Amino acid sequence: MIDFSVLKDCRYTVIGDPIAHSRSPQMQNAGFAALGLGTPYGRLHVPVEELPLFAEYARKHLDGANLTVPHKNRILPELADMSPEARLCGSVNTLLVRDGKLYGDTTDGYGFAKAVEEAFGLVPENLRAVFFGAGGAARAVVFYLAAHGAKSITLANRTVEKAELLAQDLRSAYPETEVHCAGLQDTHLLAEFLDGADLAVQATSMGLHKEDAPPFDLTLLERRKGLCCFDMIYHSTPFLRAAESAGLPNRGGNGMLLHQGARSLELWTGKTAPVEIMREALK
Ligand code: ATR
């Protein structure tokens, strides 16, 4: 059962399963407070089968929400409408409640691009990126990059068929971006794609737990001098450690968390997010 009592006095919340470790409340409440809007943001555990119950609650009692795993695509049937970007990628991380109806948007791609620009000075236009992983974490991001003029995107996944499905969607939405697929074990092919890349992105769930094995042969990173390495996971991972010991520029996912959240705050309030205050609050 969802414990809605934890949202007493909240008009916004993050939901997920699991959710206990989410740092969104500390970040968002610092942002809201700096805008003079109090601390209206909570944290709610919502199991997947109870998402419709949450949607019902949100329509009546909330102004907005952030969604994380496993809800980003499962929320779609509950929405009255969504942004063109969210519709294209089929992923929603931000809910806005308007006249008792749910509107979905996605800020993950924006957050990723902003974090990568901050870390490495790379912008989406003409970017050549290799993604390791083709699940929910990669999806909204690769659509955003293609929409903003990425030159090529390679999707390397354990299950190549899943990469192919995402690649098909991406190609039909953005025919001008080259999209390639590979298996995580296709070392020769991966080496070739990495040789021609500006950015390598770790977007699998491997590395979330300390004991996780590396998702692919990390010695591949040693081939390409100057390759920028970004991990969507917030803490140190085998991928980031391999990049560091190969002397490559590397960065974890904190900046993405910050900037997707800052953009959500802007969508809700119509005001410029106090990004530096939110960054401090995440530390
Ligand atoms: P999320 O929505 O969090 O991205 P997901 O859609 O299940 O979750 O995707 C998880 C990603 O991590 C996928 O790319 C998955 O690969 P598969 O599509 O082959 O499942 C990847 N992943 C999970 N466990 C993995 C493992 N042991 N080795 C390599 N990749 C793994």
Side-chain angles (χ1 to χ4, degrees):
M1 267 306 280
I2 306 179
D3 179 10
F4 288 111
S5 70
V6 300
L7 292 187
K8 189 173 171 297
D9 299 331
C10 290
R11 302 296 304 174
Y12 300 86
T13 185
V14 61
I15 67 162
D17 184 14
I19 200 62
H21 300 295
S22 170
R23 287 178 294 153
S24 287
Q26 69 199 58
M27 169 177 72
Q28 294 290 5
N29 280 326
F32 275 111
L35 295 175
L37 298 172
T39 54
Y41 191 103
R43 177 196 285 115
L44 188 68
H45 176 234
V46 177
V48 79
E49 62 280 7
E50 300 198 57
L51 190 58
L53 194 63
F54 168 77
E56 204 47 49
Y57 178 90
R59 287 184 192 101
K60 290 192 189 124
H61 304 292
L62 297 180
D63 295 325
N66 284 130
L67 286 75
T68 185
V69 176
H71 300 312
K72 289 184 185 185
N73 57 353
R74 292 187 165 92
I75 194 72
L76 303 189
E78 303 292 341
L79 303 177
D81 202 357
M82 59 209 292
S83 69
E85 294 77 20
R87 189 186 311 282
L88 266 179
C89 70
S91 173
V92 163
N93 79 329
T94 306
L95 285 183
L96 294 93
V97 187
R98 290 179 186 156
D99 302 325
K101 290 183 182 151
L102 300 184
Y103 178 81
D105 208 335
T106 174
T107 67
D108 283 331
Y110 169 89
F112 174 87
K114 203 78 184 147
V116 162
E117 185 173 0
E118 228 172 57
F120 312 123
L122 292 174
V123 294
E125 200 177 1
N126 290 322
L127 187 72
R128 299 163 305 169
V130 176
F131 278 74
F132 297 96
R139 194 171 177 93
V141 167
V142 295
F143 271 80
Y144 184 94
L145 294 179
H148 290 82
K151 184 169 168 37
S152 78
I153 290 171
T154 298
L155 301 166
N157 203 38
R158 174 178 61 177
T159 317
V160 186
E161 295 75 19
K162 259 176 78 179
E164 292 285 1
L165 287 176
L166 176 53
Q168 267 173 28
D169 291 350
L170 200 53
R171 285 186 195 114
S172 57
Y174 300 104
E176 283 175 14
T177 299
E178 285 170 38
V179 184
H180 307 280
C181 293
L184 289 179
Q185 309 304 325
D186 297 342
T187 308
H188 291 296
L189 198 55
L190 284 177
E192 204 176 294
F193 289 131
L194 284 170
D195 283 347
D198 312 299
L199 178 68
V201 183
Q202 203 299 107
T204 75
S205 46
M206 296 299 283
L208 278 173
H209 305 288
K210 275 209 174 78
E211 63 281 8
D212 281 350
F216 63 100
D217 176 5
L218 293 173
T219 59
L220 276 171
L221 295 179
E222 294 163 9
R223 300 170 49 90
R224 168 78 172 81
K225 254 197 154 62
L227 178 71
C228 298
C229 296
F230 190 90
D231 200 316
M232 291 196 182
I233 293 173
Y234 306 139
H235 53 76
S236 168
T237 61
F239 174 81
L240 286 179
R241 289 192 291 274
E244 181 69 26
S245 60
L248 301 174
N250 62 89
R251 193 66 66 87
N254 267 321
M256 182 173 172
L257 174 65
L258 169 67
H259 289 293
Q260 62 77 34
R263 187 79 193 113
S264 295
L265 183 65
E266 293 183 344
L267 291 175
W268 294 322
T269 63
K271 298 179 193 301
T272 302
V275 173
E276 292 316 314
I277 288 169
M278 295 172 80
R279 193 194 305 275
E280 264 318 293
L282 268 183
K283 283 181 186 164

